[in-house]
Amino acid sequence: GMTGTFHYGLQVSIINSPAEYIQSFIHETWLKRYGSSPSAEMITLMWSLIVSIYSIGGLLGSSCAGYLCVRFGRKKAMLLSNIPALLGAALMGLSRLCGSFEMIIAGRLFSGVCGGLTQNVHIMYAGECAPRKIRGLIAITAATFSALGKFVGFALGLREVLGVEALWPILLAANAVPVLVQFLTLPFFPDSPRYLLIDLKDKEACI
């Protein structure tokens, strides 16, 4: 769950660094595809869509969180959130190779779905699994790891790291790392006792 909220913070901040490179990529792609340069307004529109569509994905993910938590359980809902995140990372990482800025838009949408899911499911899952004495401490890890993700995103975007023109697709795909960590480790964790008792009526598993 902590890696999920870390992914959220990372994805929020990581898009800021390669802004000029992505806008240049939109211009070059449009020129090759249509044989004419796009207007400044069109580039601004496409860039605004890339940035803002993450929030639309977040809204969709948040709207599905309650249903998925009851239907599949907190742990499986967290695991399901990895699917749109990995899909989004693949789309954004391969966008320049495929010559499609639309893949960045789609990738941001899928990443937003993951962010909306994890921000909600993490608090439920961690809070319900934590012992009573440290429940408050565990609950605030959502904010802590989101902030840590934003910090790492800004650090990766430095020109001395991945913030150069040749590496911006790798920078955008870097959010796959925390997702893979969660995907490989979360299956070994128990499910929420509250979900097991109230939703599955499995008292033995809850205990």
Side-chain angles (χ1 to χ4, degrees):
M2 294 173 188
T3 55
T5 51
F6 178 86
H7 162 270
Y8 163 77
L10 185 66
Q11 187 60 37
V12 165
S13 65
I14 214 167
I15 195 67
N16 295 314
S17 302
E20 59 183 290
Y21 304 137
I22 294 176
Q23 290 177 28
S24 177
F25 171 65
I26 293 171
H27 183 275
E28 292 170 9
T29 303
W30 192 284
L31 185 60
K32 288 178 183 178
R33 190 182 297 172
Y34 302 111
S36 60
S37 295
S39 64
E41 290 79 10
M42 180 58 69
I43 293 177
T44 301
L45 176 63
M46 291 297 104
W47 172 248
S48 300
L49 185 58
I50 287 171
V51 173
S52 61
I53 203 165
Y54 183 84
S55 299
I56 298 173
L59 178 62
L60 294 174
S62 298
S63 302
C64 298
Y67 169 77
L68 292 176
C69 283
V70 174
R71 177 70 175 80
F72 298 104
R74 283 50 159 165
K75 186 175 80 169
K76 287 182 181 177
M78 290 291 291
L79 285 170
L80 287 172
S81 72
N82 293 326
I83 297 172
L86 290 173
L87 184 57
L91 285 168
M92 290 186 288
L94 296 172
S95 58
R96 185 168 65 180
L97 186 65
C98 297
S100 172
F101 59 83
E102 293 88 351
M103 289 173 68
I104 303 176
I105 298 172
R108 288 278 291 174
L109 177 66
F110 284 120
S111 291
V113 171
C114 172
L117 272 171
T118 54
Q119 281 293 97
N120 289 278
V121 181
H122 164 76
I123 297 173
M124 294 175 65
Y125 179 58
E128 291 171 7
C129 289
R132 191 187 310 174
K133 290 182 179 179
I134 60 169
R135 191 166 294 161
L137 176 65
I138 295 299
I140 64 168
T141 57
T144 304
F145 278 81
S146 293
L148 182 60
K150 291 176 184 178
F151 170 75
V152 172
F154 283 121
L156 289 177
L158 294 173
R159 295 186 185 276
E160 291 79 6
V161 190
L162 296 176
V164 293
E165 187 169 10
L167 298 177
W168 66 259
I170 298 174
L171 177 64
L172 293 185
N175 63 318
V177 175
V179 172
L180 287 172
V181 171
Q182 178 175 269
F183 186 75
L184 294 173
T185 57
L186 192 56
F188 298 100
F189 285 78
D191 213 327
S192 162
R194 185 183 186 280
Y195 165 74
L196 294 171
L197 181 64
I198 296 176
D199 295 312
L200 291 189
K201 314 296 185 200
D202 192 342
K203 186 176 181 180
E204 184 180 344
C206 172
I207 293 171

